[in-house]
Amino acid sequence: MFEIKHTLCPSCSVGCGINVILDSEEIVGTFPYKRHPVNEGKNCSNGRSSIEAVGDKLTFDTKVLEEVVGKLKSADNEKITAIFSGNNSNEDLEAIKSLCESKGFNILAYYDNLKNFDSVASYDDVENAASLFVVGNILYDNPLIGRRIVRAKKNGAKVCVNDELENSPTANIADEFTSLTVKEFIDNNKDNFDENSIIVFNKVDSFEDLDLIESVNSKKLPVYSKSNSKGASSLVEAISKEDALELLNNTDILLVFNDDVVNEFDFDFKSISQLVAFSPSKNDTTEIASLVIPIKSWLEYDGSFTNAEGSTQEFKAVCESDNMSIAEIIDKINGELE
């Protein structure tokens, strides 16, 4: 019997809705949720293929969790680091933060070299802006925000794009295109920023660029690559990639919660004594991990994500799993460490 259940797309921080199609409780496909206010019945290719991430599921083993607890008990807490990732729900992030703070573990909070901005532009602001300054290939990386940029242009907005790719989808709609450093781009347009303009960006050249963007007299909208990086960065302050690498160099046990960090950092993760991966499915990080703890995917539990414009959206489980969520596993770890 076919069923259709609504959830949120986990592919980036835009916060689109998707419908998941189930056949006798087996997930067989997706299609857009027509009434969702963010994507309005559209999903990008990443959203449509998001269910593939849970195709190669892992099976929980109590003995492995006991081994992880034993490693944590015998280690120096100051040498234990947890990855704080926007791939996790607000509820799981709260549990990770609480564990680290109570036990004295380090938190590695890294969000694409971006950080939290307390006040951000809404998607409606983007669509109604008089001028837009876009850093990065937003139309390709985040198409449903790109759609708002296209609408703004149709409404008469001037669109200035700064990116490495001159023939990218975003560059092709630009009234003005440059391939400058972020600092040069901001400096060149310092007289054009005002309360009716918005800077939309999904990358910077360095962590210091964020202070420069924050100082500009314009609304800002940072767009993250992970679904809940806005929620994560509101809970724990981001560190730069350089500081993240330094922390990794001083780590004996690395706890990776639902992330694939080996593809994010130019770092030899095999140099860490114990890498513990908590993941719903196989990835490059689980392949090199010392220990792997299977967890529920976002499709298998209730939670919430906070999207790029700061709206917290709840999602419900669309299918069942014998695995535990991160919050449930941390509750067990806490019980064993007391």
Side-chain angles (χ1 to χ4, degrees):
M1 182 179 70
F2 281 97
E3 278 188 281
I4 296 174
K5 294 187 178 181
H6 174 63
T7 188
L8 296 175
C9 176
S11 298
C12 74
S13 66
V14 178
C16 298
I18 57 172
N19 284 319
V20 177
I21 308 168
L22 297 99
D23 182 7
S24 301
E25 300 184 0
E26 180 183 353
I27 296 172
V28 294
T30 69
F31 70 94
Y33 178 45
K34 298 295 184 183
R35 296 186 302 277
H36 196 277
V38 171
N39 52 307
E40 301 171 325
K42 304 289 184 182
N43 282 127
C44 70
S45 59
N46 288 332
R48 292 192 296 272
S49 63
S50 59
I51 58 172
E52 295 175 8
V54 295
D56 196 3
K57 294 178 65 174
L58 301 167
T59 305
F60 182 78
D61 185 343
T62 304
K63 292 182 179 179
V64 179
L65 182 58
E66 291 172 354
E67 189 173 351
V68 170
V69 171
K71 300 289 185 185
L72 295 175
K73 284 182 175 179
S74 62
D76 179 352
N77 287 1
E78 294 182 354
K79 293 286 188 177
I80 300 173
T81 298
I83 299 290
F84 204 72
S85 168
N87 283 337
N88 298 307
S89 69
N90 288 307
E91 294 73 22
D92 284 345
L93 290 171
E94 290 277 11
I96 297 168
K97 180 182 178 182
S98 178
L99 171 70
C100 292
E101 290 181 344
S102 65
K103 306 304 179 188
F105 300 165
N106 302 299
I107 299 178
L108 196 164
Y110 175 77
Y111 319 114
D112 314 315
N113 223 25
L114 302 178
K115 68 175 183 179
N116 182 53
F117 284 68
D118 291 329
S119 177
V120 296
S122 70
Y123 302 157
D124 287 342
D125 289 337
V126 172
E127 189 168 328
N128 295 305
S131 56
L132 290 166
F133 299 89
V134 182
V135 180
N137 192 4
I138 297 287
L139 267 70
Y140 181 83
D141 297 328
N142 313 103
L144 276 302
I145 289 182
R147 190 167 179 243
R148 304 294 181 110
I149 295 173
V150 172
R151 284 180 179 175
K153 183 177 174 68
K154 289 181 178 179
N155 291 336
K158 181 178 180 180
V159 179
C160 301
V161 174
N162 190 71
D163 190 36
E164 298 169 355
L165 302 174
E166 189 173 354
N167 293 315
S168 72
T170 312
N172 287 336
I173 69 158
D175 295 296
E176 292 182 6
F177 176 81
T178 53
S179 291
L180 305 171
T181 66
V182 172
K183 183 180 186 307
E184 290 170 337
F185 180 64
I186 298 297
D187 287 343
N188 280 8
N189 288 286
K190 61 185 177 183
D191 295 330
N192 301 321
F193 298 121
D194 58 37
E195 60 186 13
N196 296 313
S197 66
I198 299 175
I199 304 174
V200 184
F201 59 100
N202 61 11
K203 65 177 183 179
V204 291
D205 299 316
S206 70
F207 206 59
E208 290 71 26
D209 289 336
L210 300 173
D211 293 331
L212 183 61
I213 292 173
E214 199 161 25
S215 69
V216 167
N217 179 29
S218 177
K219 294 179 181 178
K220 296 95 180 173
L221 182 62
V223 186
Y224 310 90
S225 66
K226 298 176 185 176
S227 56
N228 198 35
S229 290
K230 174 66 175 174
S233 61
S234 299
L235 288 170
V236 176
E237 187 175 350
I239 62 175
S240 67
K241 179 171 281 190
E242 291 76 18
D243 288 342
L245 292 172
E246 183 178 349
L247 181 53
L248 289 171
N249 275 316
N250 289 285
T251 294
D252 290 338
I253 297 181
L254 182 66
L255 307 176
V256 182
F257 292 100
N258 193 25
D259 213 332
D260 197 4
V261 292
V262 300
N263 294 316
E264 286 199 56
F265 297 97
D266 184 16
F267 181 81
D268 180 14
F269 283 92
K270 292 181 180 180
S271 67
I272 295 176
S273 298
Q274 296 289 328
L275 193 161
V276 183
F278 299 78
S279 179
S281 56
K282 293 179 181 179
N283 57 37
D284 289 342
T285 300
T286 64
E287 290 300 305
I288 68 164
S290 311
L291 298 166
V292 178
I293 303 291
I295 58 172
K296 290 180 178 179
S297 74
W298 97 101
L299 291 168
E300 298 163 332
Y301 71 105
D302 300 345
S304 67
F305 294 145
T306 302
N307 68 11
E309 67 174 348
S311 298
T312 297
Q313 302 172 290
E314 294 183 353
F315 58 88
K316 299 291 184 182
V318 302
C319 57
E320 297 181 355
S321 170
D322 293 331
N323 292 335
M324 292 183 286
S325 69
I326 288 173
E328 291 170 329
I329 288 174
I330 286 177
D331 186 55
K332 284 192 169 292
I333 290 174
N334 264 323
E336 294 295 327
L337 292 180
E338 290 178 354

